[in-house]
Amino acid sequence: MAKPEEISLDDLFKKLNSSTSGLSDSGAESRLQTYGYNEVAEKKQNFLLKFLKKFWAPIPWMLEFTIIITFVLGKYDDTVIILFLLVFNGIISFTQESKADNAVELLKKKLSVQARVLRNGKWNPIEARLLVPGDIVHLRLGDVVPADIVIIDNELEIDQSALTGESLSVTRKKGETIYSSSIVKRGECNGIAVETGSKTYFGKTTELVAAAKTKSHIEELIMRIVKYLIGIDTILVVALILFSIYQGVSLSDVIPFALVVLIASIPVALPATFTIAMALGALHMSKRGEIVTRLSAIEDAASMDTLCMEKTGTITEDRLTIKTPKVYSEDEEALIKYASYASERESEDPIDNAILDYAESKSIKIDYSNRSGFTPFDPAIKRTEAIVKENGKSIRIVKGAPQVIDQLSGTVPEGYEDDVKYFSSQGFRIITVAVGSETLEIKGIIPLYDPPRKDSKELISELKQINVSPVMITGDNTLIAEEVAGEIGLDKKLCDTNTIKSNYTGASDCSVFAEVFPEDKYYIVKALQKSGHIVGMTGDGVNDSPALKQAEFGVAVASATDVAKASASVVLTHPGLTDIVDGIKSGRRIYQRMLTYTLNKIMKTIQVAFFLTLSFFVVRFFVTTPFDVILLIFANDFVTMSIATDNVGYSIKPEKWNVKSLIYSSVILSAFLVVEGFVFLYIGLVARMGMNEIHTFIFDMLVFSGQFTVYMVRERKRFFNSMPSRVLLISSILDIIVISAISYYGILVTAIPLKFILISIGITFIWMVFMDSIKNIVFRHYKL
């Protein structure tokens, strides 16, 4: 189907069954039934339903199944405790997760403006949501364009920055399309609405925002860990039941214990610990000027290996600056003085501001009392003019596009046309200045461009140092893209967006995407993701929103629109992108904390499952009770949540979860923990402890060993290489004191003498020091 601007206005009126007299009220009402309201559909999720979804996932299913079985078997204490674990996780996850996605709601509000529409031959103001295709709309200075509209008469200068991210306004002529949410900067016109609501360019952007979805790497990770642990424990439980049948042990005693072994394999506190770790990281980042709107983005920041950056406003200043003027007569100061007379601040024109800023930087004084006349820029004449008295006579100064000034001047200086071609080929915006009383003489050319921010080169260098590949995306031509890339130290590996968009391949080899259409950014992100990259994306405009939401680490810069901020997972409050580096480092520190907890959890799960099962095969009785195992979850899992506060460093490479390496490392180290368990069992038997005392003795060993294991795995070097956080240290000390107290006084467990408690603490600490050396070898081998 042809675009509106590709067919004549007469054919467009026929296609839309409209005329310059507009629609009738009845005709508009009929079309409203056909096309719907000129707004973006709002989708909201029920608050209660969102909370209930926290209990509809594999880990909650396992706990829910266990609750039913323990209740049926009459193990009501176990039922209540497991139910508490389930509800606790659901509340933590619900209250700590990121704010609801309100991008579509904000887009809807953007469209809720007034429009002047020709109905029944009369102009009337109506709500923009009531516009329909075929309506005749009048636009003037300051108006927000309410739909996709084709201009019927005159010209407009349009600010499309909210859509395209580009700061410079554009001129649209009769027969050309202007898009909804653009702003009229100059001029006045009538136009015909061709698309409304979700069919507009603006509306299609919302569809991409709704379609864009970041994959949850945290959920995937947890499920992969659970899969391995459940697989191991299922084999052990089946072996335990078969052995019990062979030995004639009552299944009513074995099944509750088997269920508890399975519960121990579920990382019950893992989701909550990850959430708390990321929430604390979000708090730290907010103090540094980074507002996190989606907690899982912090984990994605640690894994991110590619950062796509919009050139305008992020890498560059989003402000026109003069490069080096080309002067043909007089000198540079005179040229800038002439150009300044033909400029004014009040116009808020970016070109005028660039010239006046340059004059101030060169300390060029302008005496505006000599100016007797001034004509601001008008799209119809495409120039500014000033009348200035110089040496007692009035002279005329004109400033504008070369092709316009060429027609006004008599002759052009030697080399002028070559200079214009050169600057144009380099991507500069060119302004020609001519001066004269009767005949205008071209005095020089002023090339303008959007320069890189002062901190952009340092940013690119820092990203490379932490092994994140920077990628620049721009709508500018390849020459200006190469120029900016060279200035900031970015590799000049330019790529064609069309190829990548068609088959999603080749994106990994690119560091610069030039001549990119706004909607292409979303496809660039998807292409990089399909190539196996964890992608970050920066942006500020509505057109960036789909890409910001699709990227694992979407970053809205300080000057971003509300829609871009709502779509992003991180919003910067300081200009530029330097805060991103701190965000990446924070994410990698949080990864180290989560890795410590995960390693500890896997090791303790394997230790408990193997030791309790194998010990039953050896001594023919369970060396601890199901209740003790559930109490162990409280004593270890929830206390070790304080790992979320631990003092850790960050890796210089992106962190990616390798579940196989985690499992293999944990199995090797857990084998030594199983041996430790048999050492304690041997001590208990030799000391002629009763069965209930052995239960407490083994319970203490599992708790103390779990605490000391945390300090072993938190460091990639020796355990004493760095100090843990105060919260972690205090939590461990309190845990050891509380467990020692309940073991000594017989609270919830059978009491044992103090000497056995001290023996348990001493041996588990010595065993940790012994395993610390083995850990270093294992971690190096599996690259943890």
Side-chain angles (χ1 to χ4, degrees):
M1 183 180 293
K3 295 180 179 179
E5 59 265 29
E6 293 176 349
I7 61 178
S8 68
L9 283 172
D10 290 338
D11 290 339
L12 187 60
F13 275 108
K14 290 178 182 178
K15 178 184 175 182
L16 295 172
N17 192 24
S18 182
S19 69
T20 53
S21 300
L23 302 176
S24 64
D25 284 339
S26 59
E29 182 64 30
S30 175
R31 296 189 186 202
L32 195 61
Q33 300 299 319
T34 302
Y35 295 104
Y37 288 108
N38 180 35
E39 62 185 7
V40 180
E42 182 180 5
K43 295 180 181 180
K44 287 187 176 181
Q45 192 173 11
N46 182 272
F47 181 84
L48 179 61
L49 185 61
K50 284 176 63 179
F51 177 70
L52 292 177
K53 280 187 175 181
K54 300 302 174 187
F55 305 97
W56 188 256
I59 289 179
W61 291 341
M62 296 173 194
L63 292 174
E64 289 155 6
F65 174 75
T66 308
I67 289 169
I68 294 171
I69 296 298
T70 53
F71 182 81
V72 170
L73 293 173
K75 306 289 184 179
Y76 301 121
D77 290 342
D78 296 351
T79 301
V80 171
I81 292 173
I82 299 169
L83 180 61
F84 172 80
L85 295 177
L86 177 67
V87 175
F88 179 82
N89 268 326
I91 293 173
I92 288 289
S93 178
F94 181 75
T95 56
Q96 291 286 350
E97 75 176 1
S98 58
K99 67 180 183 181
D101 178 12
N102 58 352
V104 173
E105 182 180 352
L106 286 169
L107 286 167
K108 180 180 178 181
K109 290 179 180 178
K110 274 281 190 181
L111 283 176
S112 298
V113 295
Q114 293 288 310
R116 286 176 292 279
V117 180
L118 188 61
R119 296 269 178 91
N120 300 317
K122 297 181 180 179
W123 290 103
N124 293 299
I126 66 170
E127 289 185 47
R129 67 191 296 267
L130 300 177
L131 277 178
V132 293
D135 263 327
I136 305 300
V137 182
H138 183 72
L139 297 171
R140 60 191 180 190
L141 179 66
D143 282 352
V144 175
V145 180
D148 285 359
I149 292 172
V150 172
I151 298 174
I152 298 174
D153 53 32
N154 300 330
E155 290 184 2
L156 293 181
E157 188 173 342
I158 298 293
D159 177 2
Q160 298 185 137
S161 59
L163 286 169
T164 65
E166 298 299 327
S167 57
L168 293 177
S169 55
V170 296
T171 300
R172 292 290 179 260
K173 303 176 182 178
K174 178 180 178 180
E176 293 184 336
T177 303
I178 50 179
Y179 297 112
S180 61
S181 86
S182 301
I183 300 173
V184 179
K185 299 295 288 185
R186 286 194 180 91
E188 196 167 336
C189 79
N190 293 328
I192 181 170
V194 291
E195 299 287 2
T196 59
S198 61
K199 298 295 183 182
T200 64
Y201 172 78
F202 194 83
K204 289 175 182 177
T205 301
T206 72
E207 292 179 356
L208 281 179
V209 170
K213 184 178 180 181
T214 305
K215 189 177 181 180
S216 174
H217 297 282
I218 287 289
E219 290 180 9
E220 180 185 358
L221 165 70
I222 293 172
M223 286 315 304
R224 289 175 67 191
I225 293 172
V226 169
K227 179 182 70 174
Y228 280 103
L229 296 181
I230 291 293
I232 293 171
D233 283 359
T234 300
I235 294 171
L236 292 175
V237 167
V238 170
L240 180 64
I241 292 174
L242 292 176
F243 183 78
S244 300
I245 294 172
Y246 176 75
Q247 291 291 320
V249 179
S250 173
L251 287 180
S252 62
D253 293 328
V254 174
I255 290 177
F257 195 87
L259 283 172
V260 170
V261 170
L262 284 175
I263 292 171
S265 70
I266 303 171
V268 178
L270 190 61
T273 302
F274 279 20
T275 301
I276 292 171
M278 290 185 290
L280 291 174
L283 181 61
H284 166 78
M285 291 172 67
S286 67
K287 294 176 181 177
R288 302 290 295 259
E290 306 154 89
I291 308 301
V292 177
T293 62
R294 179 174 58 82
L295 287 182
S296 61
I298 297 176
E299 187 263 343
D300 292 327
S303 304
M304 183 180 68
D305 56 24
T306 303
L307 179 63
C308 298
M309 296 172 286
E310 171 69 38
K311 178 186 75 70
T312 305
T314 51
I315 291 177
T316 61
E317 295 182 357
D318 194 13
R319 179 178 61 86
L320 285 178
T321 299
I322 294 174
K323 185 69 172 176
T324 302
K326 177 67 177 180
V327 182
Y328 296 108
S329 64
E330 300 187 57
D331 55 23
E332 181 181 307
E333 181 176 340
L335 174 66
I336 298 302
K337 185 176 289 188
Y338 289 136
S340 298
Y341 277 126
S343 306
E344 66 174 3
R345 292 283 187 194
E346 291 77 6
S347 67
E348 296 185 358
D349 186 286
I351 294 175
D352 286 6
N353 287 336
I355 290 171
L356 295 174
D357 288 343
Y358 190 79
E360 289 180 6
S361 69
K362 297 291 184 178
S363 300
I364 299 173
K365 303 297 183 182
I366 313 297
D367 185 4
Y368 285 102
S369 64
N370 294 327
R371 190 173 72 178
S372 58
F374 176 73
T375 304
F377 181 84
D378 188 321
I381 60 175
K382 292 184 171 58
R383 65 180 184 272
T384 62
E385 294 190 13
I387 304 298
V388 177
K389 285 188 177 181
E390 188 177 72
N391 298 324
K393 60 178 181 179
S394 294
I395 61 170
R396 180 187 177 199
I397 303 171
V398 294
K399 167 176 69 70
Q403 62 271 25
V404 174
I405 306 304
D406 292 355
Q407 296 174 0
L408 297 175
S409 60
T411 59
V412 297
E414 184 179 352
Y416 171 77
E417 293 179 350
D418 291 336
D419 291 334
V420 170
K421 290 179 181 178
Y422 170 76
F423 284 122
S424 298
S425 69
Q426 295 301 306
F428 290 101
R429 184 155 185 175
I430 310 167
I431 296 298
T432 297
V433 179
V435 180
S437 52
E438 296 180 1
T439 303
L440 293 175
E441 176 188 355
I442 294 176
K443 295 291 185 179
I445 296 174
I446 300 177
L448 301 108
Y449 79 123
D450 184 10
R453 294 177 54 88
K454 293 179 181 179
D455 55 7
S456 291
K457 189 170 184 177
E458 180 183 356
L459 169 67
I460 298 299
S461 176
E462 288 185 342
L463 288 171
K464 289 180 178 179
Q465 287 174 13
I466 57 176
N467 290 280
V468 174
S469 300
V471 175
M472 184 176 75
I473 299 176
T474 178
D476 290 333
N477 62 39
T478 56
L479 292 171
I480 197 66
E482 284 186 327
E483 172 75 16
V484 173
E487 288 189 41
I488 62 176
L490 190 62
D491 298 331
K492 298 181 181 180
K493 297 178 182 176
L494 273 76
C495 287
D496 179 14
T497 310
N498 292 327
T499 304
I500 291 167
K501 186 177 177 180
S502 61
N503 55 25
Y504 290 115
T505 60
S508 298
D509 301 324
C510 309
S511 57
V512 177
F513 290 94
E515 301 179 9
V516 172
F517 290 105
E519 61 271 20
D520 291 340
K521 299 171 188 178
Y522 169 77
Y523 297 103
I524 291 172
V525 171
K526 286 198 71 174
L528 287 165
Q529 289 172 330
K530 285 183 177 290
S531 299
H533 295 282
I534 305 298
V535 183
M537 174 73 197
T538 71
D540 60 355
V542 172
N543 67 292
D544 298 324
S545 300
L548 288 172
K549 189 175 181 183
Q550 178 65 30
E552 285 88 351
F553 192 63
V555 181
V557 298
S559 59
T561 61
D562 288 342
V563 179
K565 289 177 179 178
S567 301
S569 48
V570 175
V571 179
L572 303 182
T573 58
H574 300 150
L577 297 175
T578 52
D579 287 337
I580 286 183
V581 175
D582 179 69
I584 296 170
K585 292 176 181 178
S586 293
R588 293 182 184 180
R589 288 190 182 97
I590 292 166
Y591 169 89
Q592 289 296 327
R593 295 174 185 135
M594 293 190 291
L595 179 63
T596 297
Y597 184 90
T598 306
L599 277 166
N600 182 67
K601 176 59 185 176
I602 296 173
M603 288 171 60
K604 297 309 295 180
T605 297
I606 296 174
Q607 177 198 20
V608 170
F610 271 88
F611 173 62
L612 297 185
T613 305
L614 294 177
S615 63
F616 177 73
F617 294 162
V618 173
V619 298
R620 304 297 195 272
F621 67 86
F622 295 114
V623 297
T624 191
T625 67
F627 181 80
D628 289 344
V629 175
I630 294 176
L631 189 59
L632 176 66
I633 293 175
F634 281 92
N636 270 357
D637 283 28
F638 288 100
V639 170
T640 51
M641 278 184 177
S642 55
I643 290 172
T645 68
D646 195 18
N647 297 323
V648 292
Y650 63 88
S651 169
I652 62 169
K653 292 183 178 181
E655 301 278 20
K656 294 187 179 180
W657 292 96
N658 187 329
V659 176
K660 287 186 178 180
S661 291
L662 281 172
I663 297 295
Y664 293 156
S665 301
S666 300
V667 167
I668 293 171
L669 294 174
S670 297
F672 290 92
L673 294 176
V674 172
V675 173
E676 179 187 32
F678 277 103
V679 169
F680 273 79
L681 180 57
Y682 176 77
I683 293 172
L685 293 173
V686 169
R688 298 185 181 277
M689 286 182 172
M691 184 183 295
N692 290 335
E693 289 180 317
I694 287 178
H695 288 167
T696 303
F697 190 51
I698 295 300
F699 169 71
D700 284 0
M701 178 273 297
L702 292 174
V703 173
F704 300 150
S705 175
Q707 288 301 313
F708 290 131
T709 300
V710 170
Y711 295 92
M712 177 184 67
V713 298
R714 66 175 288 275
E715 261 292 341
R716 300 299 161 263
K717 299 177 182 178
R718 299 308 298 266
F719 75 92
F720 51 77
N721 191 65
S722 65
M723 277 294 293
S725 70
R726 181 178 299 179
V727 174
L728 175 59
L729 201 56
I730 292 174
S731 297
S732 294
I733 293 171
L734 289 176
D735 191 44
I736 292 172
I737 292 173
V738 170
I739 297 302
S740 298
I742 67 173
S743 299
Y744 180 74
Y745 291 106
I747 304 170
L748 301 176
V749 296
T750 301
I752 60 175
L754 180 61
K755 68 175 182 178
F756 287 110
I757 298 172
L758 296 177
I759 287 172
S760 183
I761 294 173
I763 293 178
T764 51
F765 177 78
I766 293 170
W767 200 267
M768 181 272 289
V769 175
F770 159 69
M771 288 185 60
D772 192 55
S773 299
I774 300 170
K775 168 211 71 179
N776 291 332
I777 299 171
V778 174
F779 282 2
R780 281 197 298 269
H781 179 76
Y782 288 106
K783 298 179 181 179
L784 289 179

